[in-house]
Amino acid sequence: MSKTLTEHNNDSSSMRRRQPSGTTLIDVAKVAGVSPITVSRALNRPDQVSEKTREKVRRAVEQVGYIPNMLAGGLASRQSKLVAIFVPTIAHPIFAEMVQAVMDELSRAGYQAILGLTGYQKETEETLFNAILGRRPDGIVLTGTQHSKLMRKRLIASGIPVVEAWDLCDDPIDMLVGFSHEQVGLEVARHLYAKGYRRFAVVTAEDARGMRRYHALLDELRHLGIDDVPTAFVPPPSSLNAGREKVCELLDAGHRPEVVVCSSDTVAHGVLAEAASRGWTVPKDLAVMGFGELSNASRVYPSLSSVRLNGDKVGGLIAQALLERFKNPDAEVAPLRIDTGFTIIDREST
Amino acid sequence: MSKTLTEHNNDSSSMRRRQPSGTTLIDVAKVAGVSPITVSRALNRPDQVSEKTREKVRRAVEQVGYIPNMLAGGLASRQSKLVAIFVPTIAHPIFAEMVQAVMDELSRAGYQAILGLTGYQKETEETLFNAILGRRPDGIVLTGTQHSKLMRKRLIASGIPVVEAWDLCDDPIDMLVGFSHEQVGLEVARHLYAKGYRRFAVVTAEDARGMRRYHALLDELRHLGIDDVPTAFVPPPSSLNAGREKVCELLDAGHRPEVVVCSSDTVAHGVLAEAASRGWTVPKDLAVMGFGELSNASRVYPSLSSVRLNGDKVGGLIAQALLERFKNPDAEVAPLRIDTGFTIIDREST
DNA sequence: CATACAAATGATTGCGCAATCATAAACATG
DNA sequence: CATGTTTATGATTGCGCAATCATTTGTATG
């Protein structure tokens, strides 16, 4: 009986026969002839280690092919070096561009990104969210306003730096990188007015941000002396056909606008389609303005004038904001709010 | 002095004042009135826990807002539930499509993806690779053949399931999901022949895969009784201008093909440009066939006939192959090799 | 050369969880 | 009801690393 106990005590390896994983700090330490923690320091805090030791460690790492286990490192240090990016989809140029820019910038600082694709069922959303928060990201990027109350609450509670992108809302969770929808409405009004258009119409979705652009457009047109702007509202989801139907209603009601301002390129394409089917020449008989540069606005015929939101720029700014915060976590006094602006692109349709 | 020691010994909390992180299994266990490991089981292996306990745990999780720490879980279980996907870029529809499909499929099984964007300096590549391997992914997806010797060696050594995509090469690291370049050459030959074309020319890059398509094309044409196929080789990197120059050389040499088969859409665009500049009508005076559907083939004028490689499909198959392997790791006897096929898209240019 | 002080290195502990082993409770069988 | 067999739960340990504390070594100062 005492034998059994003894066996249990000193032959613990027989109790635990997990498969061996790759090489660890300890392997490197043995080869380098230093303690494991010195290896750790040589890799993560080179300045705390003498040149000689650093070189020994470097060679040992090379020799054994050591790749630090970031799961272990993250657990111990409470730093995952991960940033979560939530976007509806990446099969959409504007988001792909943004994600690419964020990742590009982050990777320079030793961070990686993990993507959450939210463009699916509502049910999945919380699951996805939990799965990604489970990775304990050091930062989170949110796209649009698709975050639920629960998400919001949890995010604030978590204390993780958050960047909300593509919008400048009033009650940000944390940081904000986007553009002013009001400004878009205003500038589009001025732009088209300057081009000589006087009879406006609008086909817009009724979402909060679209409506903000819409009201800003109306306000500015009023300043310019244009009060009557026939409008058709597109029920969600915006689609080419919906846009087409709605502009049809406007036209059938007897309105004869010179230019139709749309809440998205998708809707604008619908308007273009309707114009084409009526045999109208764009922009002579009817001009069309899109928004978002989300579709391939430049490649349809006639190419669509639109408002470009620079994905690269937004992505880069997001990454910089996060990295800045990582470096200096106490800067939460001044809530960051970056206006990325936009560009009105004048193509054939106006 | 003994006082000092005593203080050190029983007040260990003062020695370790790491900031508290979120709620843990233990918190949930306390609330649920069970042991931590039972909570773990209720979440990961529900079938091993009684219905009553499961419900208690579920409620406790909800109450304390518990989100499992996957860093800890991964470290303990040696399963990161992560899949690394290496692509040159995601700002390219075909890769975005693939990545989206992979992620979509993986997420259903509780996996997430982490992206490695390889389309940058060579120097960064190994750094990126190490950074991502440091996350200890359960699976790896490689795009193209951009992996170096060292990468290859390490991957094989790591024992991590690997899928190479977009190609059916001869010495895969592990699994393979792609299409037969030979088949492409053959089908393109038949397709164009069936459309009535008899005088062929080729403008192609000299990369291994392009050449395989090329030789298959020649073989099939020979079977069809066409022996003379003037060819121009484009030096890397393929570009629109390179394609244009090379087709120019062919034409200037006195060849008068009815159709030019190109190794990529990029090159094909160059041919289209040259045709336009000569005032030729496409496809009457000269037909053009692209490959890859990588550019916006459908949106140029005239729209380009091309060979479509289905990103969704490839992505889905990749994910399935990986999930299958995760479920059944011993299936390495039969090396997986999936042919995803392709589709010849007939547009205005042929 | 004793002392102070910084720089470099080492020893110990625990991050949060799951694998492993151990045990208790529930149930079946003759 | 003694025995075996399953089912449900608990106790312990270590995954690989970095934070923390402790010690050694090297260097400057009077």
Side-chain angles (χ1 to χ4, degrees), chain B residues 170-233:
Chain B
D170 294 329
D171 53 346
I173 295 177
D174 186 358
M175 294 177 280
L176 211 47
V177 174
F179 59 91
S180 162
H181 291 265
E182 281 76 14
Q183 194 70 21
V184 171
L186 185 148
E187 302 260 348
V188 166
R190 287 190 186 164
H191 173 79
L192 293 172
Y193 186 90
K195 293 199 72 165
Y197 295 107
R198 292 297 179 269
R199 296 200 310 277
F200 286 71
V202 173
V203 179
T204 181
E206 291 186 273
D207 66 279
R209 291 172 296 165
M211 290 308 283
R212 276 157 52 199
R213 295 195 297 274
Y214 173 56
H215 287 129
L217 180 89
L218 290 191
D219 283 353
E220 185 59 19
L221 287 178
R222 203 169 301 122
H223 288 152
L224 296 168
I226 299 170
D227 287 306
D228 184 29
V229 180
T231 300
F233 294 101

Side-chain angles (χ1 to χ4, degrees), chain B residues 63-86:
Chain B
Q63 187 184 324
V64 303
Y66 173 66
I67 297 180
N69 184 328
M70 297 184 82
L71 298 178
L75 182 60
S77 69
R78 296 157 172 291
Q79 279 200 72
S80 61
K81 293 276 182 180
L82 259 186
V83 170
I85 307 179
F86 289 90

Side-chain angles (χ1 to χ4, degrees), chain A residues 16 18 21 24-25 37 40 44 66 69 72 76-77:
Chain A
R16 304 310 196 83
R18 295 179 177 180
S21 75
T24 73
L25 265 190
I37 188 59
S40 171
N44 300 321
Y66 173 65
N69 183 328
S77 70

Side-chain angles (χ1 to χ4, degrees), chain B residues 30-255:
Chain B
K30 276 182 196 150
V31 171
V34 296
S35 77
I37 188 60
T38 298
V39 174
S40 171
R41 271 195 286 252
L43 296 174
N44 301 320
R45 307 263 233 270
D47 53 305
Q48 290 186 9
V49 169
S50 73
E51 169 57 34
K52 223 173 56 183
T53 309
R54 215 182 305 151
E55 181 56 23
K56 272 193 298 186
V57 170
R58 211 194 50 69
R59 268 205 291 269
V61 165
E62 185 117 349
Q63 187 184 324
V64 303
Y66 173 66
I67 297 180
N69 184 328
M70 297 184 82
L71 298 178
L75 182 60
S77 69
R78 296 157 172 291
Q79 279 200 72
S80 61
K81 293 276 182 180
L82 259 186
V83 170
I85 307 179
F86 289 90
V87 285
T89 171
I90 53 163
H92 204 312
I94 197 77
F95 295 132
E97 216 173 58
M98 178 193 86
V99 168
Q100 176 115 12
V102 174
M103 291 183 63
D104 199 14
E105 190 79 16
L106 286 179
S107 70
R108 268 194 267 281
Y111 285 79
Q112 275 100 50
I114 185 162
L115 283 181
L117 268 26
T118 58
Y120 299 101
Q121 307 345 339
K122 265 272 168 179
E123 306 167 45
T124 331
E125 192 164 75
E126 197 186 327
T127 312
L128 172 68
F129 190 70
N130 282 355
I132 297 219
L133 277 199
R135 308 274 175 195
R136 298 296 187 265
D138 294 338
I140 293 178
V141 179
L142 256 28
T143 302
T145 55
Q146 80 284 4
H147 28 293
S148 68
K149 283 250 173 71
L150 181 66
M151 263 186 165
R152 206 187 149 81
K153 209 180 80 179
R154 283 210 182 154
L155 280 175
I156 293 175
S158 73
I160 302 175
V162 172
V163 177
E164 288 171 284
W166 296 116
D167 198 356
L168 291 180
C169 70
D170 294 329
D171 53 346
I173 295 177
D174 186 358
M175 294 177 280
L176 211 47
V177 174
F179 59 91
S180 162
H181 291 265
E182 281 76 14
Q183 194 70 21
V184 171
L186 185 148
E187 302 260 348
V188 166
R190 287 190 186 164
H191 173 79
L192 293 172
Y193 186 90
K195 293 199 72 165
Y197 295 107
R198 292 297 179 269
R199 296 200 310 277
F200 286 71
V202 173
V203 179
T204 181
E206 291 186 273
D207 66 279
R209 291 172 296 165
M211 290 308 283
R212 276 157 52 199
R213 295 195 297 274
Y214 173 56
H215 287 129
L217 180 89
L218 290 191
D219 283 353
E220 185 59 19
L221 287 178
R222 203 169 301 122
H223 288 152
L224 296 168
I226 299 170
D227 287 306
D228 184 29
V229 180
T231 300
F233 294 101
V234 178
S238 290
S239 67
L240 191 145
N241 273 332
R244 189 167 174 180
E245 276 172 27
K246 287 301 164 181
V247 77
C248 225
E249 287 179 14
L250 274 184
L251 298 172
D252 290 348
H255 297 293

